[in-house]
Amino acid sequence: MTTMTDAALAEFKMPDVGEGLTEAEILKWYVQPGDVVTDGQVVCEVETAKAAVELPIPFNGVVRELRFPEGTTVDVGQVIIAVDVAGGSGSTAAAPAAVSVPEPAAPEPEPEPAPQGRQPVLVGYGVSEGSTKRRPRKGDVVAVPAAVAQPAPALVPEPEAPVKGNGRPLAKPPVRKLAKDLGVDLASLTPSGPDGIITREDVHAAVAPAPEPVVTQVQVQAPSQEPVAAVPAVVQDGVRETRIPVKGVRKATAAAMVGSAFTAPHVTEFVTVDVTRTMKLVEELKADKEMQGLRVNPLLLIAKALLVAIKRNPEISASWDEAAQEIVRKHYVNLGIAAATPRGLIVPNIKDAHAKTLPELATALGELVSTAREGKTSPGAMQGGTVTITNVGVFGVDTGTPILNPGESAILAVGAIKLQPWVHKGKVKPRQVTTLALSFDHRLVDGELGSKVLADVAAILEQPKRLITWA
């Protein structure tokens, strides 16, 4: 790779797209060798600790080489793409590089890149492996022809397998693990996936031959004997466990939760409260002209209630500085909202939530949720939180003991709001009730302070007019 470095070659390194992040996984490549790129053009998408970020390249030129395939975790500071920035000579320099890759089998591989009119194909899942093949091809050009000539006299997938650089067949980590568990040699399989990738079905098919003939023979008499047993035997054989690589969001979440659970001494308190009046206020606000088009739901008022409670008990907005042995009091609230996304749990926060009006808070909540669902939450949006809300009630759960987001002092869990018998004005009536749970860092917050904050939130939700009188 480094032998290609010259005055006309610019290398783009993995940047620190967050605050102090050390690595990122390449999710998609939007370009391939030979493509012309311009300053500011997005060339790939990477996933950091908890966010997917698109990386623009800072110069013009022709892509010479992609140093890593999709799905690879790369350390910050490592070169991920090389671009020929020498104007006209750039394209000529890129051309030989492109030709040298397929040179051993120019007629064969060349048609593959040609249909790369499906440029985004380089970024898809089955193409993720395709990228894996393309990158090593650059460095292992000499080894490719030999590998292609030997294992693949007639199969198209086999020529792809050696492109791995070390002769290993192409397969994703979970598929390799499955093959290992089942004792299947990947090199003996005929890939059926795109670009010569070995799939789970290929591995299962390799262990199925023994049962399969039985199924075929027994099919005549098995209909009455044990048809059900025959099917599971083929479908579930060896799939009792699945191993999933820990990376990306899951890796970051696991590290954060372990760090928090074993660093901050947690205390959790609970309170059950009648929120009937709050639910009525939610309905009234939905019909209010000032709130039209905004996201109005119980979470909005719960968030506002917590902000008012923090204003009445400001000592809870703090953090613990272990190195300096100091408690850092924060005169602001960056309110975190735990959000379940396709990538996993993330906790973006609303900056300076304490200073926002109800309509402004509703707008911020709406933007936070939609951005999280689209997987576009930036690392900066998840930094600097002070207190968090997690709404487990959306899953029908009554309550829980939430774990603090690292660096924060408290987290409020909101349970499901249900119609329950409740003593109201001396009579048992059906009322809308929920359970709140507040976990806090006992190094920062003692029982009295934690209890006051939780009691204030409950009192506001029971009598929402306190949002005015207490604010």
Side-chain angles (χ1 to χ4, degrees):
M1 313 289 181
T2 54
T3 55
M4 296 174 61
T5 304
D6 53 43
L9 192 65
E11 297 178 329
F12 181 51
K13 300 178 180 179
M14 176 69 74
D16 177 0
V17 292
E19 296 179 13
L21 295 176
T22 59
E23 62 182 22
E25 179 187 351
I26 297 176
L27 294 181
K28 300 178 181 178
W29 278 112
Y30 293 123
V31 296
Q32 57 184 302
D35 287 351
V36 176
V37 293
T38 56
D39 186 359
Q41 178 180 337
V42 173
V43 294
C44 67
E45 180 180 20
V46 301
E47 182 179 51
T48 61
K50 286 191 174 182
V53 181
E54 293 182 329
L55 299 183
I57 200 158
F59 33 73
N60 302 322
V62 178
V63 177
R64 175 77 70 85
E65 182 179 20
L66 306 180
R67 294 289 175 86
F68 296 96
E70 294 169 357
T72 303
T73 298
V74 182
D75 291 335
V76 169
Q78 280 192 285
V79 177
I80 59 174
I81 182 174
V83 175
D84 194 325
V85 294
S89 63
S91 36
T92 50
V99 174
S100 66
V101 176
E103 193 171 286
E108 301 292 317
E110 204 53 30
E112 295 261 49
Q116 293 307 31
R118 51 172 199 180
Q119 228 155 298
V121 165
L122 190 61
V123 303
Y125 280 109
V127 189
S128 172
E129 299 294 296
S131 329
T132 304
K133 293 173 294 214
R134 243 175 244 116
R135 184 188 67 77
R137 239 184 240 168
K138 295 267 183 193
D140 302 342
V141 180
V142 182
V144 173
V148 173
Q150 292 169 5
L155 299 177
V156 176
E158 288 295 47
E160 300 291 346
V163 179
K164 200 67 169 155
N166 55 4
R168 292 173 61 198
L170 291 173
K172 294 183 179 180
V175 178
R176 292 186 183 282
K177 179 60 176 66
L178 176 60
K180 181 179 179 181
D181 291 342
L182 299 181
V184 177
D185 181 6
L186 291 177
S188 67
L189 302 183
T190 301
S192 64
D195 297 323
I197 300 170
I198 294 175
T199 65
R200 284 182 172 279
E201 290 68 27
D202 297 332
V203 176
H204 288 311
V207 294
E212 196 141 19
V214 178
V215 175
T216 309
Q217 294 173 358
V218 178
Q219 217 153 11
V220 183
Q221 56 185 49
S224 57
Q225 290 184 6
E226 43 182 23
V228 180
V231 177
V234 176
V235 177
Q236 297 184 339
D237 187 17
V239 193
R240 292 172 63 100
E241 295 180 355
T242 300
R243 288 179 176 265
I244 303 172
V246 179
K247 58 183 180 179
V249 175
R250 177 53 54 195
K251 181 178 180 180
T253 301
M257 293 300 96
V258 170
S260 177
F262 292 99
T263 300
H266 285 55
V267 173
T268 305
E269 295 186 338
F270 308 87
V271 64
T272 301
V273 58
D274 176 4
V275 294
T276 304
R277 291 187 178 91
T278 290
M279 297 304 289
K280 288 181 179 178
L281 179 57
V282 168
E283 295 306 314
E284 291 174 5
L285 288 174
K286 286 181 178 178
D288 192 311
K289 291 182 179 179
E290 296 295 324
M291 302 296 285
Q292 281 188 356
L294 299 178
R295 190 183 186 88
V296 179
N297 54 24
L299 180 61
L300 172 62
L301 294 186
I302 292 169
K304 192 64 177 177
L306 179 57
L307 292 171
V308 172
I310 293 174
K311 183 178 181 180
R312 285 167 54 84
N313 304 275
E315 298 86 358
I316 197 170
S317 185
S319 64
W320 183 272
D321 188 335
E322 182 65 31
Q325 284 296 291
E326 294 176 340
I327 291 177
V328 183
R329 289 280 168 78
K330 301 181 178 180
H331 309 297
Y332 60 90
V333 180
N334 288 344
L335 183 63
I337 304 294
T341 73
R343 298 185 189 282
L345 176 68
I346 65 173
V347 188
N349 59 73
I350 300 172
K351 309 298 184 187
D352 295 322
H354 66 286
K356 297 187 182 297
T357 62
L358 195 63
E360 290 173 342
L361 187 61
T363 300
L365 272 172
E367 293 174 350
L368 179 149
V369 172
S370 60
T371 302
R373 286 178 177 171
E374 294 170 2
K376 299 299 182 183
T377 302
S378 67
M382 294 182 282
Q383 302 291 335
T386 54
V387 177
T388 289
I389 295 177
T390 177
N391 186 8
V392 297
V394 296
F395 305 109
V397 176
D398 292 330
T399 188
T401 53
I403 296 178
L404 294 169
N405 202 29
E408 299 185 8
S409 59
I411 178 170
L412 178 70
V414 182
I417 298 174
K418 300 178 179 178
L419 203 61
Q420 295 182 19
W422 193 263
V423 177
H424 178 67
K425 295 181 179 179
K427 297 181 180 179
V428 177
K429 296 182 179 180
R431 305 284 287 180
Q432 290 178 298
V433 178
T434 190
T435 299
L436 306 175
L438 182 72
S439 290
F440 50 86
D441 185 342
H442 216 343
R443 297 173 301 178
L444 299 164
V445 184
D446 58 24
E448 179 185 12
L449 177 58
S451 298
K452 283 182 176 180
V453 171
L454 184 58
D456 280 356
V457 174
I460 293 171
L461 295 179
E462 189 172 17
Q463 293 284 355
K465 65 182 181 182
R466 291 191 172 107
L467 284 171
I468 300 174
T469 58
W470 286 1

